Amino acid sequence: MTTAQHLTPAKSLTPRGIQPSSLTTRNVPPPTPRAELRSLSPKAGTVLPQASDFFDKASAGDPDSQCFLGCCYEHGWGVEADRQMAEKWYLRAALQDHAEAQNNLGWYYESGWGGTKDLKRACSFYMKAAEQGSAVGQVALARCYWSGWGVVKDLGQAALWYRKSAEQGLGHAQFNLGRCYENGWGVPQQQEQAALWYRKAAEQGDVYGQNNLGRCFENGWGVEKNMEMACHWYRAAAEDGLAYGQFNLGRCYGNGWGVRKDLAKAVHWYDRAAVQGHADGQSNLGRCYENGWGVEKDLEQAAKWYRLSAEQGHAFGQNNFAWCYENGLGVPRNTVEAAKWYRRAAYQGHAHGQNNLGRCYENGWGVAKDLKQAAKWYKKSALQGNSAGKINASRSMQREMSEGSNSKQRSEHKSSGEGHFNLGLCYEHGWGVPKDMGVAVQCYLKAADQGNPFGQNRLAAMYEHGKGVPKNDQEAQKWYALAAAQGICW
């Protein structure tokens, strides 16, 4: 039997495409930005009273004046900024059960803003404010339970306090309650409830709620799928500066989802997200520069944006940056660097990166040649359904069999059904033998009967498509189920 032709992967075997879906945006920023905690900060253009107007009342024990005087010292309103003095006046007001002072003091201890970081004490002040009905205190207390800051982590308690705050109309609490319902964190998972609370947050102008409501409309989670509405809410978040929304709006323009396809506008929004450090946006912007999609082709710019994405640990960016090194696109060709970045993507479970790392091991590109390692990474890629990984994994198994093995290995292959499975691949694809679907089915059947999940999966596919055997959906489902029970689903 001759060895199958070596498949040196061209681009068709190393697809790296544009980030396909908004699922990558589910890891949103921390639950409550500082702005949500600082309810006393005045709106732009507000004429502030002089700090001196409050000294006498504050010194006399008036908690409102003490709290406002704390703000004056924190922000330098009419006095020289002094965090320690701010903390002093917040504490005096907080000890009189002034909820806003308790929130501000909680922030001081949470962040160490006044020089002392103490999460337990921060949580205690948030709890005092929350129990008085402060929506800001409630969302801050929810964050403590969410993260285990100063209390035992408890997602049920986090969801409870997010709800209390959300029901008072605080937008960011509504957003976080939506996340709880979306993911089943502390409450039963309910997409309809998630979409409801995202909508409430979005309609108040909460940019995270707008972005996630867009995701609901894009994917039909809790609402009827509607790409026009998805684009509408992504745009609202994007125009308010949220990088996640900018990235998702770029995807809409790049694919013509809910808007007329416009690659130049896609590049514009990817760029807006990328300059804010959004790793998905950086990776997709790199793809645009690499291929000249909506922008003049510029391989150095492509490599730059892939690098920035890769250095943040983004698997797509790592795989794409490795591709640049492998092929000398915008950077000097360097197979050692290519293998390094493919490995980083592969270890994160990136199917293309796994396949490409297999290619490095097979060919000795940047690493010592190791066909066993190549086969290992090809199989990992194939198990995720990667088409290139499937082809390369099958070829590796066929080569191993055609090159021969010792009697012990042959016995192991026979007992596990692996030999029959590999022989089935040869007959199915015509590797070293005449192509014969009927014989392939017989080989897969022998492997499947011995419990080999790969044989079961291929036998199911033959029944599903009527290749070498009459089409039979029941038999296909039976063998797919047996393979799936062993973790094989491609």
Side-chain angles (χ1 to χ4, degrees):
M1 185 180 295
T2 60
T3 303
Q5 182 181 1
H6 176 67
L7 296 178
T8 301
K11 283 198 175 183
S12 61
L13 290 186
T14 58
R16 296 171 294 125
I18 284 285
Q19 192 69 39
S21 79
S22 60
L23 291 177
T24 59
T25 68
R26 296 180 73 160
N27 295 322
V28 295
T32 308
R34 182 181 178 187
E36 290 287 351
L37 297 176
R38 310 311 310 278
S39 57
L40 284 176
S41 299
K43 296 180 179 180
T46 300
V47 178
L48 296 171
Q50 292 298 308
S52 57
D53 296 340
F54 293 86
F55 276 114
D56 290 342
K57 289 183 179 179
S59 299
D62 178 63
D64 288 332
S65 299
Q66 291 170 339
C67 186
F68 193 83
L69 192 55
C71 287
C72 291
Y73 275 112
E74 180 179 350
H75 299 286
W77 297 337
V79 293
E80 184 177 350
D82 186 327
R83 293 179 183 177
Q84 282 69 42
M85 286 296 291
E87 181 181 355
K88 166 190 168 182
W89 288 109
Y90 286 147
L91 180 59
R92 289 189 179 185
L95 292 176
Q96 296 191 66
D97 290 328
H98 192 281
E100 290 171 335
Q102 290 167 339
N103 288 329
N104 289 349
L105 193 59
W107 170 258
Y108 260 54
Y109 288 125
E110 178 186 335
S111 64
W113 194 251
T116 303
K117 185 168 184 174
D118 187 333
L119 294 178
K120 188 171 183 179
R121 200 170 186 192
C123 184
S124 71
F125 279 108
Y126 288 147
M127 186 172 292
K128 290 177 186 296
E131 289 174 346
Q132 292 191 68
S134 166
V136 173
Q138 290 165 345
V139 78
L141 180 59
R143 291 172 60 247
C144 292
Y145 277 114
W146 177 282
S147 304
W149 293 344
V151 290
V152 176
K153 183 170 182 173
D154 188 329
L155 296 184
Q157 283 292 308
L160 182 151
W161 287 106
Y162 279 139
R163 176 178 293 280
K164 287 179 181 292
S165 181
E167 288 175 345
Q168 291 197 65
L170 191 64
H172 211 66
Q174 293 168 338
F175 159 69
N176 278 308
L177 184 57
R179 292 177 68 222
C180 291
Y181 276 114
E182 178 182 346
N183 297 284
W185 294 334
V187 292
Q189 189 172 21
Q190 295 181 32
Q191 291 184 346
E192 293 79 7
Q193 282 292 308
L196 182 150
W197 287 106
Y198 286 149
R199 185 186 293 276
K200 288 179 181 291
E203 289 175 347
Q204 289 198 70
D206 183 271
V207 291
Y208 303 114
Q210 291 167 341
N211 181 67
N212 279 16
L213 183 58
R215 292 172 50 244
C216 290
F217 278 113
E218 177 181 344
N219 296 285
W221 295 338
V223 293
E224 186 176 348
K225 185 172 181 176
N226 186 323
M227 291 308 301
E228 289 77 12
M229 289 299 296
C231 185
H232 166 81
W233 287 111
Y234 288 149
R235 184 184 303 281
E239 290 179 346
D240 276 344
L242 184 69
Y244 293 90
Q246 293 166 344
F247 167 69
N248 283 326
L249 184 58
R251 292 170 51 246
C252 290
Y253 277 113
N255 294 282
W257 295 340
V259 291
R260 183 177 178 180
K261 187 172 182 177
D262 188 326
L263 294 181
K265 287 184 178 179
V267 169
H268 168 78
W269 288 109
Y270 288 147
D271 182 79
R272 292 277 296 274
V275 296
Q276 292 196 65
H278 190 275
D280 287 327
Q282 292 168 339
S283 181
N284 279 12
L285 184 59
R287 288 289 281 159
C288 293
Y289 275 113
E290 180 184 350
N291 294 282
W293 295 338
V295 67
E296 185 176 352
K297 186 172 182 177
D298 187 329
L299 295 180
E300 290 185 1
Q301 282 290 309
K304 165 193 167 182
W305 289 109
Y306 288 151
R307 176 180 60 80
L308 290 171
S309 177
E311 288 175 347
Q312 292 195 68
H314 188 263
F316 273 83
Q318 291 168 340
N319 184 67
N320 290 341
F321 191 39
W323 181 259
C324 291
Y325 272 119
E326 180 184 339
N327 296 279
L329 304 178
V331 292
R333 188 172 187 271
N334 187 326
T335 56
V336 173
E337 284 293 307
K340 179 183 83 173
W341 288 105
Y342 282 142
R343 180 179 289 106
R344 292 186 180 183
Y347 272 100
Q348 291 197 69
H350 189 274
H352 300 312
Q354 291 168 339
N355 177 65
N356 287 337
L357 182 59
R359 293 169 53 240
C360 291
Y361 276 115
E362 181 175 357
N363 296 284
W365 296 337
V367 292
K369 187 172 182 177
D370 189 328
L371 296 181
K372 287 186 177 180
Q373 282 292 313
K376 165 189 166 181
W377 288 107
Y378 286 149
K379 182 174 286 188
K380 285 180 178 290
S381 178
L383 289 174
Q384 294 197 65
N386 182 270
S387 58
K390 289 182 186 180
I391 293 171
N392 288 338
S394 298
R395 182 173 49 77
S396 293
M397 289 186 287
Q398 187 271 341
R399 177 180 54 212
E400 179 183 333
M401 184 178 62
S402 67
E403 289 176 351
S405 56
N406 61 41
S407 58
K408 181 180 178 182
Q409 289 173 324
R410 283 197 298 268
S411 176
E412 290 173 348
H413 279 207
K414 184 175 179 181
S415 63
S416 68
E418 186 174 346
H420 290 304
F421 168 67
N422 288 343
L423 188 58
L425 289 173
C426 294
Y427 277 108
E428 182 180 354
H429 298 286
W431 293 338
V433 294
K435 185 180 288 189
D436 190 322
M437 295 298 173
V439 175
V441 168
Q442 291 304 310
C443 293
Y444 291 145
L445 180 59
K446 289 179 181 179
D449 284 338
Q450 290 179 320
N452 183 280
F454 300 100
Q456 292 167 341
N457 186 271
R458 286 309 304 153
L459 180 61
M462 302 299 265
Y463 274 117
E464 180 183 4
H465 300 291
K467 295 170 64 176
V469 67
K471 185 179 171 78
N472 188 322
D473 290 338
Q474 286 186 333
E475 283 293 306
Q477 291 174 6
K478 165 189 163 182
W479 291 108
Y480 276 137
L482 289 171
Q486 297 190 64
I488 305 303
C489 301
W490 51 267

